[in-house]
């Protein structure tokens, strides 16, 4: 899915003074590209992902996901877009600990109306993709951090989205798990036409992307880097 931002502004007005986080952001991400977004803490990286993920509206500007400007869409349509076209991965995994690995992955499919048999079949394929077929029936609460994040990635892919948004996906992981998760993200990005936008503090993590952009003082700046791909 191609992602295009034009003149996106976001100001939070909850504090004593308005906090202008995005100040006319323009961006074109071609379909299937893997982009890293870096920038200092508080720069607005998560805010940018929330806007892309239809979790919040900009104050001004266009956010095109494929051929729709989702900034103009109503909440009920945006909810459908979130469920069917966008996958989210968070730093803190956000699995449901009392559900098994399989149940965590099939949940979004059931919300999208897939039958139990179809969901389980697709979940098994996703488990193969992340190399966790053996953990299928374990409670997700007992998994290691790296395993949890792999399950969270499989869950994010449950409804075969065209856009994957990851906010510090390796922020809670050790070096070995970080590498594993980045390799999983890289390989699913290569094997699908999945546009991937990953926020990270870690310059080495950013090397796994094809392109790095830095968010600073409300604007995006391209950062050239040697790709590790
Ligand atoms: N819902 C909100 N209401 C009010 N202010 C907010 C809200 N969300 C974020 N902010 C403010 O907007 C600014 C950017 O926050 P954001 O979380 O997007 O930064 P970030 O780049 O993701 O930072 P970090 O690297 O620490 O995660 C911060 O000053 C934050 O306090
Ligand atoms: Mg953040």
């Amino acid at each position: 899915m191609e992602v295009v931002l034009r003149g996106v502004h976001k100001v939070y007005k909850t504090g004593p003074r308005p906090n202008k986080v995005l100040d006319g952001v323009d961006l074109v991400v071609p379909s299937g590209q893997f982009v890293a977004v870096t920038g200092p803490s508080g720069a607005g990286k998560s805010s940018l992902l929330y806007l892309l993920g239809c979790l919040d509206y900009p104050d001004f500007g266009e956010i095109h996901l494929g051929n729709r400007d989702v900034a103009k869409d109503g909440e009920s349509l945006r909810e459908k877009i979130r469920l069917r076209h966008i996958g989210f991965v968070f730093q803190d995994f956000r699995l449901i600990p009392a559900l098994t690995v399989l149940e965590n992955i099939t949940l979004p499919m059931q919300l999208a109306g897939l039958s139990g048999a179809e969901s389980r079949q697709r979940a098994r394929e996703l488990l193969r993709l992340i190399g966790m077929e053996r953990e299928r029936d374990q409670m997700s609460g007992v998994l290691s951090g790296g395993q949890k994040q792999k399950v969270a990635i499989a869950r994010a892919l449950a409804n075969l989205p065209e856009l994957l948004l990851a906010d510090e996906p390796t922020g809670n992981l050790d070096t070995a798990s970080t590498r594993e998760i980045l390799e999983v993200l890289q390989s699913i990005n290569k094997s699908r036409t999945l546009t991937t936008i990953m926020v990270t503090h870690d310059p080495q993590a950013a090397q796994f992307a094809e392109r790095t952009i830095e968010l600073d003082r409300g604007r995006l700046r391209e950062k050239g880097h040697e790709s590790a791909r």
Side-chain angles (χ1 to χ4, degrees), residues 17-227:
R17 289 194 303 134
N19 183 2
K20 191 189 274 184
V21 177
L22 302 178
D23 187 14
V25 165
D26 296 310
L27 175 67
V28 177
V29 181
S31 183
Q33 194 170 57
F34 185 1
V35 181
V37 178
T38 62
S41 186
K45 305 180 297 295
S46 296
S47 304
L48 178 66
L49 278 201
Y50 292 150
L51 296 178
L52 288 169
C54 299
L55 293 165
D56 197 5
Y57 283 97
D59 291 294
F60 194 76
E62 301 171 13
I63 301 178
H64 297 267
L65 302 185
N67 47 22
R68 296 204 65 81
D69 180 0
V70 294
K72 294 191 173 52
D73 285 330
E75 206 34 74
S76 72
L77 181 56
R78 282 160 61 95
E79 201 176 300
K80 291 198 183 83
I81 293 171
R82 275 201 302 274
L83 179 63
R84 292 166 188 279
H85 301 286
I86 305 175
F88 293 92
V89 178
F90 300 96
Q91 179 171 352
D92 55 357
F93 324 125
R94 303 199 193 175
L95 298 175
I96 302 178
L99 294 184
T100 66
V101 165
L102 185 83
E103 288 164 347
N104 268 283
I105 299 172
T106 54
L107 191 60
M109 302 182 210
Q110 275 155 16
L111 292 174
L114 229 68
S115 76
E118 279 174 302
S119 330
R120 282 190 297 277
Q121 171 59 30
R122 191 184 290 167
R124 280 194 288 271
E125 287 164 20
L126 290 167
L127 284 168
R128 226 178 350 261
L129 190 74
I130 58 167
M132 284 188 59
E133 294 139 293
R134 285 197 307 164
E135 287 81 6
R136 188 185 73 184
D137 298 318
Q138 281 195 24
M139 290 296 163
S140 64
V142 306
L143 302 173
S144 73
Q147 287 178 317
K148 282 182 186 155
Q149 198 59 304
K150 282 199 269 182
V151 175
I153 291 170
R155 178 185 57 183
L157 299 176
N159 289 322
L160 312 178
E162 297 106 319
L163 175 62
L164 184 67
L165 302 174
D167 198 348
E168 298 279 1
T170 60
N172 284 6
L173 303 178
D174 64 22
T175 315
S177 303
T178 290
R179 182 165 188 94
E180 215 182 332
I181 290 300
L182 291 166
E183 283 170 356
V184 168
L185 288 173
Q186 205 177 47
S187 94
I188 56 181
N189 174 261
K190 275 185 191 155
S191 62
R192 295 161 185 264
T193 48
L194 178 70
T195 308
T196 304
I197 302 180
M198 173 180 76
V199 165
T200 182
H201 273 112
D202 175 359
Q204 283 187 321
Q207 290 288 323
F208 281 77
E210 291 169 73
R211 171 185 179 194
T212 299
I213 48 185
E214 187 179 17
L215 182 59
D216 193 19
R217 277 160 289 175
R219 296 292 180 95
L220 287 177
R221 196 170 50 231
E222 295 284 340
K223 289 187 56 175
H225 69 74
E226 285 297 310
S227 172

